[in-house]
Structures are given as C-alpha cells and as structure tokens.
Amino acid sequence: MGETRSGAAGNSPGPGEDGTAMVMQERKAYILHQLEERSSVTVAELSSALGLSEVSVRKLLMAMEQEGKLKRTWGGAVCAHGSLREFSHQEKATVHLEEKRAIARAAYDCIADGEAVFLDCGTTTIQLARLIIAGPKRGILVCTNAINIAAALSAAPDIQTIVIGGELRGSILSCVGSLAELSLQRLFFDKGFISGNHFTLEHGFSTPIFQEAELKRRVLSVSKEKFVLMDYSKYGDDSLVQVVPSQGVDTLITDWHAPDELARGFEEKGVRVIRGAEI
C-alpha cells in the first residue's frame, strides 16, 4: 500500500476520516471518483490528495490497471473506457481552468491585427474568445461553430463574427454535420484553432465523435496556420476517432505541466510546441 508521506496535506484533513491514512479500497474509490468527474488524474495530484509518495501512487495505479479499473498514462491515469467518453461543456468548464487560461493567453499572442481566425468549440477556445473581446488587437474576424462563443463575441460589435450553423450538439454547444462543412468550403482562415479530447505522440489528436472529427479536419484544411489547443490532462490516451496525426498541425499549444520529452517528441515531427505559462 506504500508509506504515507508526512505533511502531504498540511493542516487540512485528507480524503480519509480525520485526515488519517485511507485504506486501500477508499483510495481506489477516491481515484475512480476523480476519473468520473474529469477525464484524467495525475500522479502529483493524487500524491497530494492521498498523502502518499509518488512511488506509492504509481504502485496503486499499476494495481488498478491490472484490475481493469483504469489505464495508466504519462504521469497519471485515465478511465479504462475513455475512448467513447465525451464530457459535456458544463462538466469541463471549471476543470484545469488556470491551464486553459494559460493556453488561451499563448494562443492570443499568436493572433495579429486584421486576421481571420476560426475558433472551434471547447472550454479552452471560449477563454481565447474572451481575450479577443477584451484585448487590444482589432480588425479580427472570428468564425466559429460554437454557439456560446458566438454569443460572447456579440458583446464586441467591432469584431466581425461568422457563425457556422448545422446540427446542434447541445452537450458541448457545437454545430456539426454536412451544413457546417458546406459553410466552410469557400472560406479560408489565417489561423484555425481547434481542440479535442485526447492526444498522443503516436496517434495524434482525437475525439469520440465522427462528426466533430470531420469538422475539425475541414477547419484545419482551410487554415493557413493550424493550431491545436489542449491541456496536459488530455495527453497519453486516444479517443475513438483521429482528427489528424501528430504532424498534421503546425503548432500545439499546451500548458506548463507538459514535460520536455513531450515537447521534444512533437518538435521532432515538425510541430512547434508552446507551453502556456503559469501566473
């Protein structure tokens, strides 16, 4: 079960009763609950929450993987059946929020006055939309298939906005399907910013839904510069449908948690990697 690390939780009680060490089943239940709440957990997070050394956490995750309860990834774990799971916008909105804001700041730095950009649906791209609204850069045209992003941009009358219609997916506030794809046929963007559910060096960027994957591919195909915005928690697993392979984008913007080896791996495939800084 591993030794409990002293002082891991400070003065606050841990997940166990009265801050005492949790028994094995309680620890496993806690980890599974976290995976139900969000798509992944990290060794560092679990070490802090459970009051265990990182070595002990890795042993626990190894045991749970052997039991078929989860899949280990770089630096943590994901759900055992994560390829089909798609979290709603509401579920994702407050998860890894600081990381998403850091990614959005880095993405905003890549936009220039007078450019036409596409913003995919997502809880990271909405952060980028808010920076476009509040920031000093102007003359920007924004095209989006996300109804919440379109609504947010309506507060900035000096930002021209094009809304791509189609079949509304209410859980993530996006429009997809043949109508959406037809709308993109005669449009070209200086920069396209897409997101997704998972990414790996071996298989690239993926999402659970065929229609979402097709629309993202179409956006990238009509963008002069292709960007993917994904926080570190999405690394190390694959969703059902590949959007593009690793080398299918120009720039991956992630956050400060991404390790050097991740960045080197993508850079060796010709992808620029930007890690948004923590504030």
Side-chain angles (χ1 to χ4, degrees):
M1 187 161 61
E3 294 180 356
T4 300
R5 189 181 59 192
S6 61
N11 294 324
S12 301
E17 295 181 0
D18 301 322
T20 58
M22 299 173 66
V23 298
M24 181 68 75
Q25 292 306 316
E26 288 176 321
R27 289 170 177 162
K28 291 180 178 180
Y30 175 80
I31 293 170
L32 292 176
H33 176 72
Q34 293 301 305
L35 289 174
E36 284 296 320
E37 292 292 317
R38 50 203 177 109
S39 61
S40 66
V41 292
T42 69
V43 169
E45 291 168 339
L46 293 176
S47 174
S48 177
L50 301 176
L52 294 173
S53 69
E54 293 194 2
V55 171
S56 295
V57 170
R58 290 190 180 94
K59 290 179 179 178
L60 179 57
L61 294 179
M62 185 183 300
M64 293 180 70
E65 183 177 50
Q66 291 172 350
E67 295 168 0
K69 293 181 177 179
L70 53 75
K71 291 192 294 183
R72 287 185 299 151
T73 65
W74 159 81
V78 296
C79 293
H81 307 290
S83 294
L84 296 176
R85 178 66 187 268
E86 182 183 46
F87 290 88
S88 70
H89 180 87
Q90 185 176 5
E91 289 175 304
K92 296 186 294 184
T94 58
V95 176
H96 302 303
L97 186 56
E98 290 308 312
E99 288 83 355
K100 292 171 183 177
R101 287 171 175 164
I103 292 169
R105 288 192 297 268
Y108 183 70
D109 287 343
C110 296
I111 297 173
D113 292 326
E115 289 191 325
V117 303
F118 188 96
L119 299 187
D120 186 21
C121 69
T123 53
T124 303
T125 47
I126 185 63
Q127 297 297 330
L128 176 55
R130 289 168 181 159
L131 291 179
I132 291 172
I133 293 167
K137 299 173 185 179
R138 282 298 176 261
I140 297 171
L141 179 146
V142 179
C143 183
T144 185
N145 67 321
I147 59 173
N148 60 323
I149 291 177
L153 290 167
S154 68
D158 57 335
I159 296 177
Q160 186 178 353
T161 305
I162 297 174
V163 184
I164 298 297
E167 180 184 344
L168 175 63
R169 301 193 64 239
S171 63
I172 62 170
L173 308 177
S174 73
C175 294
V176 296
S178 58
L179 288 176
E181 292 166 28
L182 283 171
S183 299
L184 290 169
Q185 282 188 351
R186 297 183 180 180
L187 298 176
F188 298 95
F189 307 106
D190 294 298
K191 294 180 173 76
F193 297 91
I194 71 162
S195 190
N197 293 73
H198 288 113
F199 68 108
T200 62
L201 188 61
E202 296 78 13
H203 302 133
F205 310 95
S206 56
T207 187
I209 307 300
F210 283 95
Q211 288 179 309
E212 292 286 346
E214 183 57 39
L215 186 71
K216 295 174 194 295
R217 278 194 292 269
R218 185 61 60 90
V219 169
L220 294 176
S221 73
V222 295
S223 298
K224 298 172 187 176
E225 291 187 64
K226 305 167 177 57
F227 293 78
V228 170
L229 313 182
M230 288 200 198
D231 68 75
Y232 79 101
S233 71
K234 297 179 178 180
Y235 180 70
D237 195 15
D238 300 307
S239 290
L240 179 65
V241 188
Q242 184 190 66
V243 178
V244 288
S246 299
Q247 61 271 28
V249 301
D250 299 307
T251 303
L252 165 64
I253 304 182
T254 184
D255 59 81
W256 67 91
H257 293 291
D260 291 341
E261 52 266 33
L262 182 157
R264 283 196 298 269
F266 278 93
E267 287 166 352
E268 287 172 0
K269 290 179 175 284
V271 180
R272 178 173 62 149
V273 178
I274 300 174
R275 289 176 277 192
E278 181 180 17
I279 292 181

